[in-house]
Amino acid sequence: MKIRSDILRVYREVHSWVGICAGLLLFVAFFAGAISMFEQPLQNLTSPQLDMPPPVPLSRTPDLLEKIFSTYPQARQTYTVLLAPDRSLPGRVAWPVHPPHGHDAGPMFVATLAPDGELVVRQQAITPVAHFIDMLHQELGIPLPHAISRPFMGIIALLYGIALISGVLLFLPTLARNLFAFRFREGPRKLWLDLHNLLGFFSLPFHIVMALTSVVFAFHDPIFAVQSRVFGTSHASPHPPTHTRSYPVAADQRSDAPLLTPTELVTSLETQAPGFVPTTLAYNQGHGGMMLRVSGQDSRYSMRGPTAGFATVDPRSGKILSADYLPGHQKTGFAILTVFFALHFGSFGGNAIRWGYVVLGLAGAGMFYTGNRLWIDARRRREKAAGLSRDSLPTKILSRLTPGWVTGCITGCLVILTAGYFCPDVMTVALVKEIYYAVFIAFIAFFMLKP
Protein backbone atom coordinates (compact mmCIF):
# COMPACT_ATOMS: atom_id res chain seq x y z
CA MET A 1 0.00 0.00 0.00
CA LYS A 2 1.38 3.40 -1.01
CA ILE A 3 0.59 6.66 0.77
CA ARG A 4 1.98 9.99 -0.35
CA SER A 5 5.02 11.13 1.63
CA ASP A 6 3.47 14.47 2.60
CA ILE A 7 0.43 12.68 4.04
CA LEU A 8 2.69 10.29 5.93
CA ARG A 9 4.52 13.26 7.45
CA VAL A 10 1.22 14.62 8.77
CA TYR A 11 0.30 11.24 10.24
CA ARG A 12 3.76 10.96 11.81
CA GLU A 13 3.47 14.37 13.45
CA VAL A 14 -0.04 13.60 14.73
CA HIS A 15 1.03 10.19 16.02
CA SER A 16 4.14 11.57 17.73
CA TRP A 17 2.55 14.54 19.49
CA VAL A 18 -0.62 12.72 20.49
CA GLY A 19 1.50 9.85 21.80
CA ILE A 20 3.72 12.19 23.79
CA CYS A 21 0.70 13.94 25.33
CA ALA A 22 -0.95 10.69 26.41
CA GLY A 23 1.81 8.07 26.53
CA LEU A 24 2.97 8.29 30.14
CA LEU A 25 -0.58 8.52 31.48
CA LEU A 26 -1.59 5.50 29.41
CA PHE A 27 1.44 3.60 30.72
CA VAL A 28 0.03 3.92 34.24
CA ALA A 29 -3.45 2.93 33.04
CA PHE A 30 -2.22 -0.21 31.31
CA PHE A 31 0.29 -1.31 33.94
CA ALA A 32 -2.14 -0.81 36.83
CA GLY A 33 -4.96 -2.31 34.76
CA ALA A 34 -2.92 -5.46 34.17
CA ILE A 35 -2.42 -5.85 37.92
CA SER A 36 -6.12 -5.14 38.56
CA MET A 37 -7.16 -8.15 36.48
CA PHE A 38 -6.68 -10.08 39.73
CA GLU A 39 -7.92 -7.42 42.12
CA GLN A 40 -9.92 -9.82 44.31
CA PRO A 41 -7.06 -12.34 44.82
CA LEU A 42 -4.73 -9.42 45.60
CA GLN A 43 -7.25 -8.07 48.11
CA ASN A 44 -7.30 -11.46 49.80
CA LEU A 45 -3.50 -11.60 49.78
CA THR A 46 -3.19 -8.17 51.43
CA SER A 47 -6.01 -8.62 53.97
CA PRO A 48 -5.37 -9.34 57.66
CA GLN A 49 -5.81 -12.98 58.65
CA LEU A 50 -8.68 -13.02 61.15
CA ASP A 51 -8.64 -15.47 64.04
CA MET A 52 -12.11 -16.99 63.86
CA PRO A 53 -13.76 -20.40 63.41
CA PRO A 54 -14.57 -21.61 59.88
CA PRO A 55 -17.88 -20.46 58.34
CA VAL A 56 -20.95 -22.35 59.48
CA PRO A 57 -22.71 -24.54 56.90
CA LEU A 58 -25.16 -22.60 54.77
CA SER A 59 -28.05 -24.54 56.31
CA ARG A 60 -27.24 -23.02 59.73
CA THR A 61 -27.26 -19.44 58.44
CA PRO A 62 -30.77 -18.70 59.85
CA ASP A 63 -29.51 -19.52 63.37
CA LEU A 64 -26.48 -17.29 62.80
CA LEU A 65 -28.64 -14.41 61.53
CA GLU A 66 -30.97 -14.68 64.53
CA LYS A 67 -28.05 -14.28 66.92
CA ILE A 68 -26.55 -11.43 64.88
CA PHE A 69 -29.82 -9.46 64.84
CA SER A 70 -30.27 -10.01 68.55
CA THR A 71 -26.82 -8.58 69.32
CA TYR A 72 -26.46 -6.13 66.41
CA PRO A 73 -29.99 -4.99 65.49
CA GLN A 74 -28.62 -2.43 62.99
CA ALA A 75 -27.38 -5.32 60.86
CA ARG A 76 -30.98 -5.94 59.70
CA GLN A 77 -30.73 -2.88 57.45
CA THR A 78 -27.84 -4.09 55.30
CA TYR A 79 -26.12 -7.45 55.44
CA THR A 80 -24.59 -9.98 53.07
CA VAL A 81 -24.63 -13.77 53.21
CA LEU A 82 -21.31 -14.98 51.82
CA LEU A 83 -21.71 -18.19 49.83
CA ALA A 84 -17.99 -18.33 49.04
CA PRO A 85 -16.11 -16.79 52.02
CA ASP A 86 -12.48 -15.90 51.48
CA ARG A 87 -9.59 -14.43 53.46
CA SER A 88 -10.85 -10.84 53.19
CA LEU A 89 -14.33 -11.80 54.49
CA PRO A 90 -13.94 -15.22 56.14
CA GLY A 91 -17.32 -15.42 57.91
CA ARG A 92 -20.70 -16.58 56.64
CA VAL A 93 -22.37 -13.18 57.15
CA ALA A 94 -20.94 -9.65 56.82
CA TRP A 95 -22.37 -6.18 57.35
CA PRO A 96 -20.87 -2.67 57.32
CA VAL A 97 -19.56 -1.13 60.53
CA HIS A 98 -20.81 2.25 59.31
CA PRO A 99 -23.69 3.01 56.92
CA PRO A 100 -22.47 2.42 53.36
CA HIS A 101 -21.45 5.50 51.39
CA GLY A 102 -21.18 5.32 47.61
CA HIS A 103 -18.85 2.63 46.27
CA ASP A 104 -16.30 2.96 49.06
CA ALA A 105 -15.87 -0.26 51.02
CA GLY A 106 -15.46 0.63 54.67
CA PRO A 107 -14.71 -1.75 57.54
CA MET A 108 -17.02 -4.76 57.84
CA PHE A 109 -18.20 -7.00 60.63
CA VAL A 110 -17.93 -10.69 59.77
CA ALA A 111 -19.64 -13.39 61.81
CA THR A 112 -19.82 -17.13 62.25
CA LEU A 113 -20.62 -19.58 65.05
CA ALA A 114 -18.14 -21.28 67.35
CA PRO A 115 -18.34 -25.06 67.72
CA ASP A 116 -20.40 -24.56 70.90
CA GLY A 117 -22.89 -22.34 69.05
CA GLU A 118 -21.65 -19.00 70.43
CA LEU A 119 -21.69 -16.02 68.12
CA VAL A 120 -18.20 -14.98 66.92
CA VAL A 121 -17.87 -11.52 65.37
CA ARG A 122 -14.72 -9.86 64.10
CA GLN A 123 -14.14 -6.49 62.47
CA GLN A 124 -12.31 -6.60 59.16
CA ALA A 125 -10.84 -3.51 57.51
CA ILE A 126 -11.16 -3.95 53.75
CA THR A 127 -7.56 -3.44 52.68
CA PRO A 128 -7.30 -0.59 50.15
CA VAL A 129 -4.17 -1.68 48.27
CA ALA A 130 -5.79 -3.60 45.40
CA HIS A 131 -8.58 -1.01 45.06
CA PHE A 132 -6.03 1.82 45.01
CA ILE A 133 -4.20 0.20 42.09
CA ASP A 134 -7.51 -0.17 40.27
CA MET A 135 -8.17 3.55 40.85
CA LEU A 136 -4.71 4.32 39.45
CA HIS A 137 -5.84 2.48 36.34
CA GLN A 138 -9.13 4.38 36.15
CA GLU A 139 -7.68 7.81 36.88
CA LEU A 140 -4.39 7.42 34.95
CA GLY A 141 -2.39 7.88 38.14
CA ILE A 142 -3.40 11.54 38.51
CA PRO A 143 -4.74 12.33 42.03
CA LEU A 144 -7.59 14.57 40.89
CA PRO A 145 -11.20 14.60 42.15
CA HIS A 146 -13.30 11.91 40.50
CA ALA A 147 -15.51 14.46 38.75
CA ILE A 148 -12.43 15.85 36.99
CA SER A 149 -10.39 12.69 36.46
CA ARG A 150 -13.16 10.78 34.67
CA PRO A 151 -13.74 13.24 31.78
CA PHE A 152 -9.96 13.83 31.66
CA MET A 153 -9.56 10.09 31.18
CA GLY A 154 -12.11 10.27 28.36
CA ILE A 155 -10.09 12.97 26.60
CA ILE A 156 -6.92 10.88 26.93
CA ALA A 157 -8.81 7.88 25.54
CA LEU A 158 -9.86 9.95 22.51
CA LEU A 159 -6.22 10.96 21.96
CA TYR A 160 -5.31 7.29 22.35
CA GLY A 161 -7.75 6.43 19.55
CA ILE A 162 -6.22 9.10 17.28
CA ALA A 163 -2.75 7.71 17.99
CA LEU A 164 -3.94 4.21 17.07
CA ILE A 165 -5.41 5.32 13.74
CA SER A 166 -2.39 7.42 12.76
CA GLY A 167 0.01 4.68 13.87
CA VAL A 168 -1.70 2.04 11.72
CA LEU A 169 -1.64 4.34 8.69
CA LEU A 170 2.08 4.96 9.25
CA PHE A 171 2.84 1.24 9.49
CA LEU A 172 0.76 0.06 6.51
CA PRO A 173 3.21 1.07 3.76
CA THR A 174 5.97 -1.04 5.34
CA LEU A 175 3.75 -3.80 6.75
CA ALA A 176 5.04 -6.63 4.56
CA ARG A 177 8.70 -5.66 5.03
CA ASN A 178 8.77 -4.81 8.73
CA LEU A 179 6.03 -6.92 10.34
CA PHE A 180 8.46 -9.42 11.88
CA ALA A 181 11.57 -7.24 11.76
CA PHE A 182 13.62 -7.06 14.93
CA ARG A 183 16.86 -5.27 14.15
CA PHE A 184 19.19 -5.73 17.12
CA ARG A 185 22.35 -4.56 15.36
CA GLU A 186 21.13 -1.35 13.72
CA GLY A 187 21.12 0.86 16.79
CA PRO A 188 18.63 1.55 19.57
CA ARG A 189 16.28 3.60 17.37
CA LYS A 190 15.55 0.69 15.02
CA LEU A 191 15.20 -1.67 17.98
CA TRP A 192 12.70 0.61 19.74
CA LEU A 193 10.80 1.11 16.47
CA ASP A 194 10.52 -2.62 15.74
CA LEU A 195 9.45 -3.37 19.29
CA HIS A 196 6.89 -0.54 19.22
CA ASN A 197 5.43 -1.75 15.91
CA LEU A 198 5.37 -5.38 17.03
CA LEU A 199 3.58 -4.65 20.30
CA GLY A 200 1.13 -2.24 18.69
CA PHE A 201 0.18 -4.20 15.58
CA PHE A 202 -0.37 -7.60 17.15
CA SER A 203 -2.47 -6.19 20.00
CA LEU A 204 -4.37 -3.70 17.82
CA PRO A 205 -7.86 -5.23 18.38
CA PHE A 206 -7.27 -5.11 22.13
CA HIS A 207 -6.24 -1.46 21.96
CA ILE A 208 -9.27 -0.54 19.85
CA VAL A 209 -11.56 -2.14 22.44
CA MET A 210 -9.77 -0.37 25.31
CA ALA A 211 -10.01 3.03 23.61
CA LEU A 212 -13.70 2.71 22.74
CA THR A 213 -14.79 1.34 26.11
CA SER A 214 -12.74 3.92 28.02
CA VAL A 215 -14.58 6.69 26.20
CA VAL A 216 -17.88 5.02 27.15
CA PHE A 217 -16.86 4.83 30.81
CA ALA A 218 -15.68 8.43 30.88
CA PHE A 219 -18.87 9.85 29.38
CA HIS A 220 -21.30 7.28 30.71
CA ASP A 221 -23.85 9.75 32.12
CA PRO A 222 -25.19 10.95 28.76
CA ILE A 223 -24.69 7.51 27.20
CA PHE A 224 -26.68 5.74 29.89
CA ALA A 225 -29.34 8.43 29.86
CA VAL A 226 -29.87 7.48 26.21
CA GLN A 227 -29.87 3.78 27.18
CA SER A 228 -32.53 4.48 29.78
CA ARG A 229 -34.76 6.08 27.17
CA VAL A 230 -34.15 3.49 24.46
CA PHE A 231 -34.53 0.38 26.61
CA GLY A 232 -37.02 1.83 29.08
CA THR A 233 -34.97 1.09 32.18
CA SER A 234 -33.71 3.04 35.14
CA HIS A 235 -30.47 4.99 34.80
CA ALA A 236 -27.64 2.49 34.71
CA SER A 237 -24.00 2.62 35.55
CA PRO A 238 -20.90 1.11 34.01
CA HIS A 239 -20.00 -0.22 37.45
CA PRO A 240 -22.87 -2.14 39.03
CA PRO A 241 -23.52 -1.23 42.67
CA THR A 242 -21.56 -2.92 45.38
CA HIS A 243 -23.04 -5.67 47.50
CA THR A 244 -24.25 -3.20 50.10
CA ARG A 245 -26.29 -1.12 47.69
CA SER A 246 -29.99 -1.60 46.96
CA TYR A 247 -31.54 -1.89 43.53
CA PRO A 248 -34.48 0.23 42.40
CA VAL A 249 -36.83 -2.66 41.64
CA ALA A 250 -39.05 -3.48 44.57
CA ALA A 251 -40.67 -6.85 45.11
CA ASP A 252 -44.42 -7.26 45.19
CA GLN A 253 -44.22 -8.79 48.64
CA ARG A 254 -46.16 -8.97 51.89
CA SER A 255 -44.04 -7.53 54.69
CA ASP A 256 -45.23 -10.22 57.09
CA ALA A 257 -44.19 -13.11 54.84
CA PRO A 258 -41.01 -14.85 56.03
CA LEU A 259 -37.79 -14.53 54.08
CA LEU A 260 -36.59 -17.65 52.33
CA THR A 261 -33.52 -19.23 53.83
CA PRO A 262 -30.25 -18.88 51.87
CA THR A 263 -30.43 -22.58 51.00
CA GLU A 264 -33.94 -22.16 49.58
CA LEU A 265 -32.88 -19.10 47.61
CA VAL A 266 -29.90 -20.92 46.08
CA THR A 267 -32.14 -23.83 45.12
CA SER A 268 -34.66 -21.46 43.55
CA LEU A 269 -31.93 -19.74 41.53
CA GLU A 270 -30.62 -23.08 40.30
CA THR A 271 -34.07 -23.74 38.85
CA GLN A 272 -34.58 -20.29 37.29
CA ALA A 273 -31.02 -19.69 36.08
CA PRO A 274 -29.21 -23.02 35.56
CA GLY A 275 -25.44 -22.54 35.36
CA PHE A 276 -25.44 -19.32 37.38
CA VAL A 277 -23.36 -19.85 40.52
CA PRO A 278 -24.25 -17.31 43.24
CA THR A 279 -21.46 -16.02 45.47
CA THR A 280 -23.21 -13.41 47.66
CA LEU A 281 -26.76 -12.65 48.80
CA ALA A 282 -26.87 -8.93 49.61
CA TYR A 283 -29.92 -7.78 51.62
CA ASN A 284 -30.92 -4.15 51.98
CA GLN A 285 -33.94 -2.68 53.76
CA GLY A 286 -35.36 -0.09 51.35
CA HIS A 287 -38.50 2.03 51.28
CA GLY A 288 -40.39 -0.71 49.44
CA GLY A 289 -39.32 -3.46 51.79
CA MET A 290 -36.42 -5.87 51.86
CA MET A 291 -34.35 -5.92 48.66
CA LEU A 292 -32.06 -8.76 47.62
CA ARG A 293 -29.28 -8.57 45.07
CA VAL A 294 -27.52 -11.81 44.18
CA SER A 295 -24.00 -11.71 42.75
CA GLY A 296 -22.55 -14.67 40.95
CA GLN A 297 -20.86 -16.08 37.89
CA ASP A 298 -21.71 -18.08 34.81
CA SER A 299 -18.63 -19.10 32.85
CA ARG A 300 -20.67 -19.57 29.65
CA TYR A 301 -21.53 -15.87 29.30
CA SER A 302 -20.03 -12.41 29.54
CA MET A 303 -20.50 -10.59 32.85
CA ARG A 304 -21.38 -6.92 33.31
CA GLY A 305 -19.12 -6.43 36.32
CA PRO A 306 -15.38 -7.12 36.51
CA THR A 307 -15.90 -10.37 38.40
CA ALA A 308 -19.65 -11.06 38.59
CA GLY A 309 -23.11 -10.81 37.13
CA PHE A 310 -26.14 -9.73 39.17
CA ALA A 311 -29.80 -10.53 39.67
CA THR A 312 -32.43 -8.77 41.75
CA VAL A 313 -34.53 -11.36 43.58
CA ASP A 314 -37.64 -11.31 45.74
CA PRO A 315 -36.26 -12.53 49.10
CA ARG A 316 -39.67 -13.92 50.12
CA SER A 317 -40.54 -15.94 47.01
CA GLY A 318 -37.16 -16.42 45.36
CA LYS A 319 -38.47 -15.06 42.04
CA ILE A 320 -35.99 -13.16 39.86
CA LEU A 321 -37.31 -9.60 39.56
CA SER A 322 -34.64 -8.15 37.27
CA ALA A 323 -32.22 -9.95 34.97
CA ASP A 324 -30.72 -6.81 33.40
CA TYR A 325 -27.25 -7.83 34.64
CA LEU A 326 -27.80 -11.61 34.88
CA PRO A 327 -25.48 -13.51 32.49
CA GLY A 328 -27.41 -15.40 29.82
CA HIS A 329 -30.80 -13.91 30.77
CA GLN A 330 -30.49 -10.32 29.54
CA LYS A 331 -32.55 -8.65 26.87
CA THR A 332 -30.78 -8.04 23.57
CA GLY A 333 -29.95 -4.39 24.27
CA PHE A 334 -28.42 -5.09 27.67
CA ALA A 335 -26.60 -8.16 26.35
CA ILE A 336 -24.92 -6.05 23.66
CA LEU A 337 -23.85 -3.45 26.24
CA THR A 338 -22.58 -6.21 28.52
CA VAL A 339 -20.28 -7.46 25.77
CA PHE A 340 -18.72 -3.98 25.69
CA PHE A 341 -18.01 -4.05 29.43
CA ALA A 342 -16.84 -7.66 29.40
CA LEU A 343 -14.34 -6.87 26.64
CA HIS A 344 -12.86 -4.11 28.81
CA PHE A 345 -12.92 -6.03 32.11
CA GLY A 346 -11.95 -9.41 30.64
CA SER A 347 -14.95 -10.83 32.50
CA PHE A 348 -15.50 -13.79 30.21
CA GLY A 349 -13.73 -17.06 29.55
CA GLY A 350 -12.31 -17.52 33.04
CA ASN A 351 -8.70 -17.18 34.17
CA ALA A 352 -7.22 -17.95 30.76
CA ILE A 353 -8.69 -14.71 29.39
CA ARG A 354 -7.63 -12.81 32.50
CA TRP A 355 -4.03 -13.91 32.11
CA GLY A 356 -4.24 -12.99 28.45
CA TYR A 357 -5.38 -9.51 29.44
CA VAL A 358 -2.48 -9.26 31.88
CA VAL A 359 -0.03 -9.99 29.06
CA LEU A 360 -1.80 -7.57 26.69
CA GLY A 361 -1.91 -4.89 29.37
CA LEU A 362 1.82 -5.17 30.09
CA ALA A 363 2.53 -5.22 26.34
CA GLY A 364 0.46 -2.05 26.00
CA ALA A 365 2.47 -0.39 28.75
CA GLY A 366 5.63 -1.42 26.91
CA MET A 367 4.28 0.06 23.68
CA PHE A 368 3.75 3.47 25.29
CA TYR A 369 7.22 3.42 26.82
CA THR A 370 8.88 2.54 23.49
CA GLY A 371 6.83 5.29 21.82
CA ASN A 372 8.35 7.87 24.16
CA ARG A 373 11.84 6.51 23.55
CA LEU A 374 11.31 6.80 19.80
CA TRP A 375 10.22 10.43 20.15
CA ILE A 376 13.27 11.25 22.27
CA ASP A 377 15.67 9.58 19.81
CA ALA A 378 14.05 11.37 16.85
CA ARG A 379 14.30 14.75 18.61
CA ARG A 380 17.96 14.17 19.42
CA ARG A 381 18.75 13.33 15.80
CA ARG A 382 17.03 16.46 14.54
CA GLU A 383 18.75 18.64 17.15
CA LYS A 384 22.19 17.23 16.29
CA ALA A 385 21.49 17.81 12.60
CA ALA A 386 20.64 21.43 13.50
CA GLY A 387 24.02 21.86 15.16
CA LEU A 388 23.04 21.52 18.84
CA SER A 389 25.69 19.81 20.97
CA ARG A 390 23.32 19.17 23.90
CA ASP A 391 19.70 18.20 24.31
CA SER A 392 17.22 21.05 24.23
CA LEU A 393 15.27 21.64 27.41
CA PRO A 394 12.06 19.80 26.24
CA THR A 395 14.11 16.81 25.07
CA LYS A 396 16.11 16.75 28.30
CA ILE A 397 12.97 16.92 30.44
CA LEU A 398 11.16 14.13 28.59
CA SER A 399 14.27 11.91 28.39
CA ARG A 400 14.53 12.05 32.17
CA LEU A 401 10.82 12.12 32.99
CA THR A 402 10.06 8.97 30.98
CA PRO A 403 12.27 6.51 32.93
CA GLY A 404 11.44 8.23 36.22
CA TRP A 405 7.68 8.02 35.59
CA VAL A 406 7.80 4.40 34.45
CA THR A 407 10.14 3.21 37.20
CA GLY A 408 8.22 5.18 39.83
CA CYS A 409 4.89 3.66 38.80
CA ILE A 410 6.19 0.08 38.75
CA THR A 411 8.13 0.42 42.00
CA GLY A 412 5.31 2.27 43.75
CA CYS A 413 2.84 -0.52 42.97
CA LEU A 414 5.32 -3.19 44.10
CA VAL A 415 6.05 -1.33 47.35
CA ILE A 416 2.39 -0.94 48.38
CA LEU A 417 1.63 -4.57 47.46
CA THR A 418 4.60 -5.73 49.55
CA ALA A 419 3.60 -3.48 52.46
CA GLY A 420 0.02 -4.70 52.20
CA TYR A 421 1.16 -8.32 52.39
CA PHE A 422 3.48 -7.89 55.37
CA CYS A 423 1.64 -5.09 57.25
CA PRO A 424 -2.05 -5.35 56.28
CA ASP A 425 -3.32 -4.01 59.62
CA VAL A 426 -1.80 -0.56 59.17
CA MET A 427 -2.57 0.00 55.48
CA THR A 428 -5.19 2.75 55.41
CA VAL A 429 -6.33 4.54 52.25
CA ALA A 430 -4.32 7.63 53.17
CA LEU A 431 -1.16 5.64 53.95
CA VAL A 432 -1.35 3.64 50.72
CA LYS A 433 -1.69 6.84 48.72
CA GLU A 434 1.18 8.51 50.60
CA ILE A 435 3.52 5.55 50.11
CA TYR A 436 2.78 5.21 46.40
CA TYR A 437 3.15 8.87 45.53
CA ALA A 438 6.24 9.25 47.74
CA VAL A 439 7.94 6.45 45.80
CA PHE A 440 6.61 7.72 42.48
CA ILE A 441 7.79 11.30 43.02
CA ALA A 442 11.12 10.15 44.48
CA PHE A 443 11.99 8.24 41.31
CA ILE A 444 10.96 11.14 39.08
CA ALA A 445 13.09 13.49 41.18
CA PHE A 446 16.05 11.10 41.05
CA PHE A 447 16.03 10.87 37.26
CA MET A 448 15.37 14.59 36.80
CA LEU A 449 18.19 15.65 39.12
CA LYS A 450 20.87 13.08 38.37
CA PRO A 451 23.97 14.40 36.58
Side-chain angles (χ1 to χ4, degrees):
M1 178 180 179
K2 291 186 178 180
I3 300 177
R4 283 169 30 199
S5 60
D6 59 328
I7 296 176
L8 281 177
R9 277 196 299 272
V10 173
Y11 287 147
R12 186 173 291 108
E13 287 297 316
V14 170
H15 185 74
S16 297
W17 284 106
V18 168
I20 285 300
C21 291
L24 291 178
L25 297 173
L26 288 169
F27 177 91
V28 176
F30 273 70
F31 181 78
I35 296 175
S36 296
M37 290 306 302
F38 291 97
E39 181 179 356
Q40 187 59 45
L42 287 174
Q43 181 169 297
N44 291 335
L45 189 66
T46 56
S47 292
Q49 183 75 53
L50 294 182
D51 179 21
M52 62 187 307
V56 297
L58 190 62
S59 59
R60 294 190 61 193
T61 305
D63 297 335
L64 173 60
L65 288 171
E66 183 179 348
K67 293 184 177 182
I68 290 172
F69 298 152
S70 175
T71 308
Y72 301 88
Q74 74 276 11
R76 291 181 183 273
Q77 299 300 312
T78 301
Y79 64 94
T80 300
V81 175
L82 304 164
L83 305 180
D86 53 27
R87 174 170 169 164
S88 63
L89 294 174
R92 178 62 68 187
V93 176
W95 67 98
V97 175
H98 309 294
H101 177 68
H103 294 278
D104 296 331
M108 303 284 288
F109 287 122
V110 288
T112 187
L113 295 177
D116 60 1
E118 285 294 315
L119 177 65
V120 178
V121 177
R122 299 285 186 271
Q123 182 173 322
Q124 176 71 301
I126 304 300
T127 182
V129 173
H131 179 68
F132 175 80
I133 293 176
D134 183 46
M135 293 309 296
L136 282 179
H137 160 69
Q138 294 182 37
E139 298 176 353
L140 310 177
I142 305 298
L144 295 173
H146 194 68
I148 299 175
S149 64
R150 186 167 289 278
F152 179 70
M153 181 265 285
I155 294 170
I156 294 298
L158 289 171
L159 294 176
Y160 171 30
I162 294 172
L164 287 175
I165 295 169
S166 57
V168 170
L169 292 174
L170 279 173
F171 189 55
L172 282 178
T174 60
L175 176 63
R177 186 173 70 253
N178 293 333
L179 181 58
F180 295 102
F182 214 59
R183 293 164 286 190
F184 287 99
R185 300 179 180 178
E186 297 186 29
R189 187 181 72 85
K190 293 291 186 182
L191 179 61
W192 290 124
L193 178 61
D194 292 339
L195 184 59
H196 185 75
N197 290 338
L198 187 72
L199 293 173
F201 186 79
F202 282 101
S203 57
L204 182 60
F206 174 77
H207 287 286
I208 292 172
V209 168
M210 293 300 108
L212 289 175
T213 53
S214 296
V215 172
V216 172
F217 293 162
F219 304 111
H220 68 81
D221 279 344
I223 292 172
F224 282 92
V226 172
Q227 174 190 317
S228 179
R229 289 181 176 274
V230 172
F231 299 121
T233 61
S234 59
H235 188 76
S237 167
H239 303 287
T242 60
H243 62 271
T244 59
R245 298 285 302 276
S246 62
Y247 189 78
V249 177
D252 182 16
Q253 54 183 312
R254 294 185 298 112
S255 59
D256 58 341
L259 300 180
L260 294 182
T261 66
T263 303
E264 292 170 335
L265 284 167
V266 171
T267 302
S268 176
L269 286 169
E270 289 175 352
T271 302
Q272 298 175 77
F276 178 70
V277 180
T279 54
T280 63
L281 307 176
Y283 296 82
N284 186 277
Q285 187 69 46
H287 295 298
M290 182 62 75
M291 311 275 192
L292 172 60
R293 161 162 280 201
V294 181
S295 302
Q297 301 169 345
D298 190 332
S299 59
R300 301 170 299 172
Y301 301 101
S302 303
M303 294 182 293
R304 183 63 173 262
T307 59
F310 305 86
T312 304
V313 177
D314 186 338
R316 303 180 191 278
S317 69
K319 178 183 177 182
I320 295 176
L321 299 176
S322 174
D324 288 345
Y325 299 124
L326 182 60
H329 296 266
Q330 299 170 293
K331 296 178 182 178
T332 302
F334 270 94
I336 293 171
L337 289 170
T338 293
V339 170
F340 241 78
F341 292 103
L343 285 172
H344 188 94
F345 295 140
S347 54
F348 63 96
N351 283 336
I353 294 296
R354 291 191 173 277
W355 278 111
Y357 269 53
V358 170
V359 173
L360 288 169
L362 295 176
M367 183 185 73
F368 299 121
Y369 174 72
T370 56
N372 272 38
R373 291 303 303 258
L374 283 170
W375 188 91
I376 294 166
D377 289 343
R379 288 273 298 190
R380 282 174 171 163
R381 284 201 326 275
R382 286 199 296 267
E383 289 170 0
K384 286 182 179 179
L388 294 178
S389 59
R390 296 183 179 181
D391 290 344
S392 65
L393 183 61
T395 303
K396 182 177 181 180
I397 289 175
L398 191 65
S399 66
R400 291 169 178 258
L401 178 62
T402 295
W405 187 288
V406 168
T407 310
C409 173
I410 295 172
T411 308
C413 289
L414 293 177
V415 167
I416 60 174
L417 283 170
T418 303
Y421 179 76
F422 288 105
C423 310
D425 294 305
V426 301
M427 297 301 286
T428 63
V429 174
L431 182 59
V432 170
K433 183 180 292 188
E434 289 170 2
I435 292 174
Y436 172 82
Y437 283 109
V439 173
F440 180 69
I441 293 171
F443 272 91
I444 291 177
F446 171 76
F447 279 92
M448 294 295 289
L449 298 175
K450 74 174 185 176

